[in-house]
Amino acid sequence: MAGKPKKGSTPTTDRKASPAATGVSIIGEESLVREYATSCAACGMEVTLLSSDNQSFAGKPPHGVRRTGKPPASTAIALELTNTSRPDKKENLRSLDALLPPSALILSSSVAVTLKTQSAWVRHPERLAGIAALPTFLEGRLVEVILPPRASADSLERLKKFFGALGKETAVVKDSPGMVMPRILTMIINEAWFALADETASATDIDTAMKLGTNYPHGPLAWGERIGLAHVHAVIEGLHRGFREERYCVAPLLRRAASAAHPE
Amino acid sequence: MTSTIGVIGSGTMGSGIAELAALAGFDVILNDISSDALRSAMLRIKAELQKSVEKGETTAIEATETLTHIRPRHAFNDLGAADVIIEAVAEDLPMKKDIFRRLDLIVAPGAILATNTSSLSVSDIAATTNTPDSVVGMHFFNPPTRMKLVEIVRGAQTSDETISKVRELALAMGKTPVFCRDTPGFIVNRVARLFYGEALRLLGEGVAEVPEIDRIVRESCGFRMGPFELMDLIGIDVNYAVTRSVYEQFSREPRFEPHPIQRRMVRAGTLGRKTKKGFYPYD
């Protein structure tokens, strides 16, 4: 699933404009870790990849990126990038929270688990912010973020500065299952799987129709593969858990394809 | 080989399809019960062709030629001369059924009867004729001259021969055909429901405001337009009607449930750009 970041994902921000050697520690799922590590390192940040019992970075780390077990003392920002396993996410957040000084900001992907739920797992929830992290989303110009309920005054500034250094705008949204874009997009992908399952059309025709009929940048089925079906599945499961509505049931065929692609 | 195409209904879609067919070199019989509507459709087509000439997409000679290929006809029986008839009247099932019932009496044997319905059942419409094997869905997108896609919809009894003929026709018109079964909303109007539906829910739940949701959708994933600006462009009433139709045909499947915000806007008459007020003001 982890691939080379696509062309165009390399931020074009002037290196001089980025904060001098911001220490960034990253843990989570390999595809997301690779994208963030590559982008951060390309912007002159000092990047360290962390590992846990269940998650470690198997491939070759991007150029200029270190690999250790524990976050270095210089860590100003830590990223937790797990969507498909709640236990791993919980363990990672607890360990980051315990190891990092309270001044360090933790940015945690909140597309499959709400920030509120995650806040209950840590001792310092006021420094835990949510981000919409799905594979390929760093190709965009904007990142959605969620501020913690009792955020310190400079949290938003630090978030904006961090993503600004990566060449991204930020949009603050309310803490809600699936946030904004992941929710809309995964539900479109889910419907495409339902349509495929009831033989409305072939996979190719479904994707062609959505690209040409509505100008979507990618066909929904191919888009799901780009993101990774396990991540898509995790977002919709999170919506179902959050809303307890039949509307958010994962298409059975998508569920099957996701578990085949990600046997755990 | 198809040589003459009949188009029923001279609204936006009907006149667009007539123009498209004439541009592709077919003879077109454009039919409407209203002579006034036919007259204004011809003026609209002429203006569209003029625009294409100005943009350098068509030569003045081609534009004149194209116009002469379109015969506006008020009399329904004149459609009997067409090899393929494309019905493009409003999304009203009884009206469409009535048209197909009458077509059945006048068309030549072997003629293909296509409906440009966006969400009604092709099989239902076909059942009113004695030749359901020659009835097919041919769903064009607005504006038909510019949008590349045509959904070719196979009704319960549509023959392979009919499908293959309309495929050829779509290709001759320069379109990309996709094939789908006769399911509610076909492909596009079904899958796209979630784009609007989830955006409306996010708004209703106060997760973000209208311009912010549009900005996120445009900037984070490369969609050309956000859901609210797109609904304003399409017309909130049109979007709501399609949602309701798909929802009812799917036996009220919760994924397609129409949102109260949209219903309120339809009742209030704030329908988007065409009423100068929708999710955004247009002054």
Side-chain angles (χ1 to χ4, degrees), chain A residues 73 92 127 133 162 186 252:
Chain A
N92 291 346
R127 48 89 165 258
F162 171 71
T186 58

Side-chain angles (χ1 to χ4, degrees), chain A residues 141 169 183 191 198, chain B residues 181 190 198 215 219 255:
Chain A
R141 286 192 294 259
E169 294 170 36
R183 174 171 171 182
E191 195 55 43
D198 65 23
Chain B
R181 285 202 311 134
R190 169 185 179 171
E198 289 306 318
R215 182 169 81 102
E219 304 295 323
R255 297 195 305 280

Side-chain angles (χ1 to χ4, degrees), chain A residues 137 140-142 144 169-174 176 179-181 183-185 187-188 191-192 194-195 198-201 205-206 208-210 212-217 223 243 245-248, chain B residues 141 147-149 151 176-181 183 186-188 190-192 194-195 197-199 201-202 205-208 212-213 215-217 219-224 253-257:
Chain A
F137 269 41
R141 286 192 294 259
L142 179 147
E144 283 172 61
E169 294 170 36
T170 45
V172 179
V173 302
K174 207 176 92 177
S176 176
M179 301 178 70
V180 173
M181 194 67 247
R183 174 171 171 182
I184 295 174
L185 184 56
M187 285 300 281
I188 289 169
E191 195 55 43
F194 273 116
D198 65 23
E199 295 179 342
T200 288
D205 278 0
I206 290 173
T208 301
M210 297 317 289
L212 298 183
T214 60
N215 288 324
Y216 287 0
W223 209 339
F243 292 110
E245 282 181 62
E246 205 187 313
R247 179 183 179 93
Y248 298 106
Chain B
F141 290 75
M147 297 293 279
K148 292 297 268 180
L149 186 72
E151 288 179 323
T176 304
V178 293
F179 303 89
C180 50
R181 285 202 311 134
T183 51
F186 314 130
I187 305 169
V188 174
R190 169 185 179 171
V191 176
L194 281 295
F195 183 66
E198 289 306 318
R201 283 209 156 203
L202 285 160
E205 293 159 13
V207 176
E212 197 69 340
I213 294 173
R215 182 169 81 102
I216 290 168
V217 171
E219 304 295 323
S220 71
C221 267
F223 282 91
R224 219 170 287 173
E253 161 60 51
R255 297 195 305 280
F256 304 114
E257 191 178 1

Side-chain angles (χ1 to χ4, degrees), chain B residues 228-243:
Chain B
F228 298 105
E229 43 195 2
L230 194 48
M231 278 187 268
D232 273 359
L233 183 68
I234 293 167
I236 316 280
D237 52 341
V238 173
N239 193 285
Y240 181 60
V242 176
T243 304

